[in-house]
Amino acid sequence: MSSENDTPEGPGGGEPEQLAFIRESVRRAKAPKAKPRTWRGAALAKELPVARVLVDKGVLHLDRYFEYAVPEELDAVAQPGVRVRVRFGAGSKNVRDGRREGGGLIDGFLVERVAEAEYQGPLAALAQVLSPEPVLDAALLGLTRAVADRYAGSLADVLQLAVPPRHAKAEAREFPPPPAPPAAPEPGSWQRYERGADLLASLAAGGAP
């Protein structure tokens, strides 16, 4: 091979600059993303330190709530109805300092927080709160539970259809406060009904008569 076809070396006799740039780009692209903290030894929330979580697994024998410890740093955002990420399937043998560790990460919904756990063994901690926006309220939970029971399905499967996927950009937007509710209209022709005016007043107040 002639000297004209030789690949020029970079400064100091090292590898070519372009090849070094490519290798650095590949190295950065393959760098593993940081995993949620396992909260080893972290202090727990002082009030209601136990969270009941519905994991996103649509198998019938897992169609129940699982209990997790709430770290103090997640206390403010770990509220009922938010999306969370937990470690699932660790087994009772993976226990360190009285807390369960290990298992794979899986998404779920935080259903409620309680003062004491029904499970008497060590609890794993919540790994992450995916979004502080509550998306599962009591009314929606009751409706989806009824649908799952009626059609012999799992609650997790029904929630996948009932709760829209998360959109981080939409959550980050700032929306103006909602306008004030309109005043109750005049009864008009509703006066011919015995409780017509009461119906309109209840609707205007946000009720569901």
Side-chain angles (χ1 to χ4, degrees):
M1 180 179 296
S2 66
S3 60
E4 295 179 357
N5 295 328
D6 292 342
T7 303
E9 294 183 349
E15 60 184 350
E17 292 183 5
Q18 185 175 6
L19 181 59
F21 175 75
I22 294 175
R23 288 183 176 177
E24 179 66 15
S25 300
V26 172
R27 184 187 66 80
R28 292 180 179 178
K30 292 184 177 180
K33 295 182 179 180
K35 295 183 178 180
R37 297 174 58 185
T38 56
W39 306 102
R40 179 181 300 174
L44 298 183
K46 295 180 175 59
E47 296 183 3
L48 305 179
V50 178
R52 289 180 177 156
V53 176
L54 175 71
V55 297
D56 189 10
K57 276 188 172 292
V59 289
L60 290 178
H61 71 278
L62 297 179
D63 191 17
R64 57 188 179 89
Y65 302 149
F66 293 86
E67 295 178 328
Y68 288 84
V70 180
E72 188 175 22
E73 294 188 28
L74 295 182
D75 186 18
V77 293
Q79 299 300 319
V82 301
R83 305 175 196 261
V84 295
R85 183 165 291 169
V86 296
R87 293 195 174 273
F88 191 78
S92 58
K93 296 182 179 179
N94 297 329
V95 177
R96 180 187 294 269
D97 298 331
R99 299 184 188 177
R100 184 177 297 186
E101 294 187 350
L105 288 169
I106 187 171
D107 295 347
F109 295 96
L110 196 161
V111 176
E112 63 177 337
R113 287 179 56 175
V114 294
E116 297 181 359
E118 294 182 358
Y119 179 68
Q120 298 301 317
L123 297 179
L126 294 177
Q128 186 180 8
V129 174
L130 296 175
S131 169
E133 187 73 23
V135 293
L136 182 62
D137 58 15
L140 181 58
L141 179 62
L143 175 61
T144 51
R145 179 75 272 174
V147 171
D149 293 343
R150 174 65 177 83
Y151 295 100
S154 69
L155 181 57
D157 283 343
V158 178
L159 283 174
Q160 286 185 354
L161 302 175
V163 180
R166 180 186 176 221
H167 293 280
K169 290 184 178 180
E171 291 181 356
R173 292 177 57 188
E174 294 185 3
F175 295 92
E186 294 296 329
S189 60
W190 284 90
Q191 289 180 340
R192 59 181 173 174
Y193 298 102
E194 181 180 357
R195 304 297 299 276
D198 295 335
L199 173 68
L200 294 179
S202 179
L203 289 173

